[in-house]
Amino acid sequence: MTGPLDVAVEREGLVPATAKDVWRCVTEPDLRVEVFSMVTQAVTEAGEPGQVGHVLQFSEIDAGSDPVVVRLTTIEVEPYRRLVQERVGPDGTFTSSTFLEETQDGTHVRRVFHVYKAEPSVAERAMRKAISTFFTLGGTVRLKADIGDLIRHFS
């Protein structure tokens, strides 16, 4: 199989809060720990939360696994509307995008994990199906948990 490796996972939900409040939960280290059940600690390495160049390092734990360290670097920002971060962790490097649309009933939150490699290595080419399946399943679980955590926090 030739060509790029291109996989995306997307989840969405309605959070009963303003876009500004949801934005703070996804950008500020203290709120990230308070709101997201998989995050056990978080600190700013560089920059200001919610700004391009902000680097957030946090520990994350899945059910039945040891904590892992993840780094999020903010690469694009439209305050209270769109946040794009590069996520680097033991499960690889990919883009994490959060889209917020405030409605009468709260904020519609759409989160997307995306990995793209224009020229995957020989091993990645050979493992393309397994990598796609792993990324899709892991991303689906993580994003579902994230949206659920936001809804529970504001309910």
Side-chain angles (χ1 to χ4, degrees):
M1 207 182 236
T2 61
L5 177 63
D6 190 2
V7 183
V9 178
E10 181 175 331
R11 287 289 174 261
E12 57 190 305
L14 183 65
V15 177
T18 66
K20 184 175 182 178
D21 288 337
V22 173
W23 179 267
R24 289 184 57 230
C25 290
V26 297
T27 60
E28 295 181 16
D30 292 343
L31 284 173
R32 201 157 183 109
V33 173
E34 181 181 325
V35 173
F36 297 103
S37 58
M38 295 172 70
V39 177
T40 58
Q41 64 183 60
V43 295
T44 291
E45 280 187 18
E48 293 293 321
Q51 300 295 317
V52 171
H54 178 246
V55 180
L56 176 69
Q57 178 176 297
F58 62 92
S59 293
E60 181 177 81
I61 189 165
D62 288 327
S65 72
D66 293 326
V68 296
V69 175
V70 175
R71 293 182 82 230
L72 285 178
T73 301
T74 301
I75 55 177
E76 293 180 38
V77 176
E78 259 183 84
Y80 317 123
R81 296 183 50 88
R82 185 173 66 96
L83 177 69
V84 181
Q85 299 169 304
E86 179 184 65
R87 185 183 195 280
V88 179
D91 50 357
T93 299
F94 53 91
T95 303
S96 170
S97 300
T98 303
F99 301 91
L100 307 176
E101 182 182 345
E102 199 161 319
T103 70
Q104 186 176 358
D105 300 321
T107 300
H108 179 256
V109 178
R110 184 168 58 99
R111 302 208 60 216
V112 180
F113 285 169
H114 182 236
V115 62
Y116 177 82
K117 294 185 179 185
E119 297 182 24
S121 69
V122 173
E124 289 168 331
R125 285 185 197 282
M127 295 295 294
R128 181 179 315 253
K129 177 80 170 153
I131 289 169
S132 295
T133 301
F134 172 78
F135 179 79
T136 300
L137 292 175
T140 299
V141 169
R142 184 175 288 118
L143 290 178
K144 187 175 179 182
D146 284 359
I147 298 284
D149 288 343
L150 281 165
I151 292 169
R152 278 187 294 281
H153 179 74
F154 289 106
S155 293

